[in-house]
Amino acid sequence: MSKYTTGELAKLCGVTVRTVQYYDTRGILVPTELSEGGRRLYSEDDLKRMKIICFLRELGLPIDSISQLLSEDDPGSVISLLLEQQEQALQEEISEREEKLHKLEDLRAGLKNVKEFSVESIGDIAYTMTNKKKLKKVRMTLLLTGLPISVLQWVSIVLWVIKGFWWLFVIWAVIAIPYGILISRYYFKRVAYICPQCHTVFRPTFKEAFFANHTPAARKLTCPSCGHHGFCVEVAREEADIHE
């Protein structure tokens, strides 16, 4: 079985020799044996114990608490629980950092589309990023509710062409027209637009928004504040504003 000196143990655990000696004086890491010259010698079990102590110290546990913990009849169950908690904390930290990374990537992508860099342009991008999930939820509602209507449309067209069943297309039209009006009102009530010139967040009239030329992320509108007419970036409205 391997034997380690104080220096070797300290190196394997990434601590100083003085730290190992201190743990010996506190009685939480007593060497298995002493050499003929009085040098401390540590076993493989001592090495494992030292690694556990170092881990608990990284968690912020004081020496007295570690001493009490290791003197328990079943310290392994407590340490296992601490390991699970530490793993969960690290997973949450990784998720938070990944979310920050995605925000940075979105910010960089947004800046590429900005002709003139300014504090206001950063604010617009940040506002858009914050509302991204809300806007995605609104658009998903449109997609899920509109899918059956689209399926019915294509089925009715195919049956009309192949079988001559024109009445199914009429049924689709009777359903689709009111649905289109209602879902459009639902959508435009939950979105707003940012003017690229004065950076005002505004809501156009239903008629203007409905007939305006648009892309997946913007719509060509007239800003009520500065009068600019051009593509304005689409964002989700705040929940409190929707119910006004």
Side-chain angles (χ1 to χ4, degrees):
M1 183 179 290
S2 301
K3 299 291 181 182
Y4 304 99
T5 63
T6 302
E8 290 170 340
L9 187 71
K11 186 176 181 180
L12 288 170
C13 296
V15 297
T16 63
V17 172
R18 184 172 294 182
T19 299
V20 180
Q21 293 171 343
Y22 174 68
Y23 290 159
D24 182 14
T25 59
R26 293 299 300 267
I28 61 174
L29 187 70
V30 180
T32 301
E33 61 181 272
L34 296 175
S35 67
E36 293 181 359
R39 298 178 67 186
R40 297 178 178 87
L41 294 176
Y42 296 90
S43 66
E44 287 287 346
D45 289 339
D46 293 333
L47 176 60
K48 293 176 183 178
R49 185 180 179 91
M50 182 62 182
K51 288 182 177 180
I52 291 172
I53 293 169
C54 291
F55 164 72
L56 296 175
R57 287 293 291 154
E58 287 178 1
L59 292 182
L61 268 68
I63 296 297
D64 290 338
S65 298
I66 294 174
S67 178
Q68 293 174 7
L69 177 60
L70 294 178
S71 64
E72 292 286 328
D73 293 334
D74 185 20
S77 58
V78 180
I79 293 170
S80 177
L81 181 59
L82 289 170
L83 284 170
E84 290 178 8
Q85 291 177 339
Q86 181 71 356
E87 182 181 2
Q88 183 178 354
L90 288 172
Q91 291 289 353
E92 291 174 358
E93 184 179 344
I94 290 171
S95 298
E96 290 175 2
R97 289 183 180 274
E98 286 180 344
E99 185 175 350
K100 288 180 180 179
L101 181 60
H102 291 325
K103 287 182 178 179
L104 285 173
E105 290 172 348
D106 289 342
L107 182 58
R108 286 184 63 186
L111 286 173
K112 289 180 180 179
N113 299 322
V114 176
K115 294 181 180 179
E116 295 183 4
F117 180 84
S118 66
V119 175
E120 288 81 4
S121 62
I122 292 287
D124 290 347
I125 295 169
Y127 189 89
T128 304
M129 288 163 55
T130 303
N131 284 268
K132 198 171 183 179
K133 289 184 178 179
K134 293 179 182 178
L135 189 59
K136 187 176 180 180
K137 185 178 180 181
V138 173
R139 289 173 175 171
M140 186 59 68
T141 301
L142 262 68
L143 178 63
L144 293 177
T145 57
L147 190 59
I149 303 294
S150 297
V151 171
L152 179 61
Q153 178 188 10
W154 286 108
V155 170
S156 63
I157 291 173
V158 171
L159 289 178
W160 190 358
V161 172
I162 297 175
K163 300 289 186 180
F165 294 161
W166 56 267
W167 51 266
L168 189 59
F169 185 81
V170 174
I171 293 175
W172 167 81
V174 170
I175 296 173
I177 293 172
Y179 164 79
I181 296 172
L182 290 174
I183 201 67
S184 297
R185 290 189 179 278
Y186 167 87
Y187 184 74
F188 290 124
K189 187 177 180 181
R190 284 161 176 77
V191 297
Y193 297 87
I194 304 176
C195 173
Q197 296 298 315
C198 67
H199 309 283
T200 299
V201 180
F202 68 95
R203 279 190 66 209
T205 62
F206 174 78
K207 183 179 179 181
E208 182 185 9
F210 188 82
F211 290 104
N213 188 15
H214 63 278
T215 70
R219 195 170 289 266
K220 198 168 187 178
L221 303 165
T222 301
C223 174
S225 295
C226 68
H228 168 74
H229 181 70
F231 281 102
C232 300
V233 178
E234 191 172 75
V235 293
R237 293 184 68 199
E238 296 297 330
E239 197 67 28
D241 297 334
I242 296 174
H243 299 290
E244 285 183 351

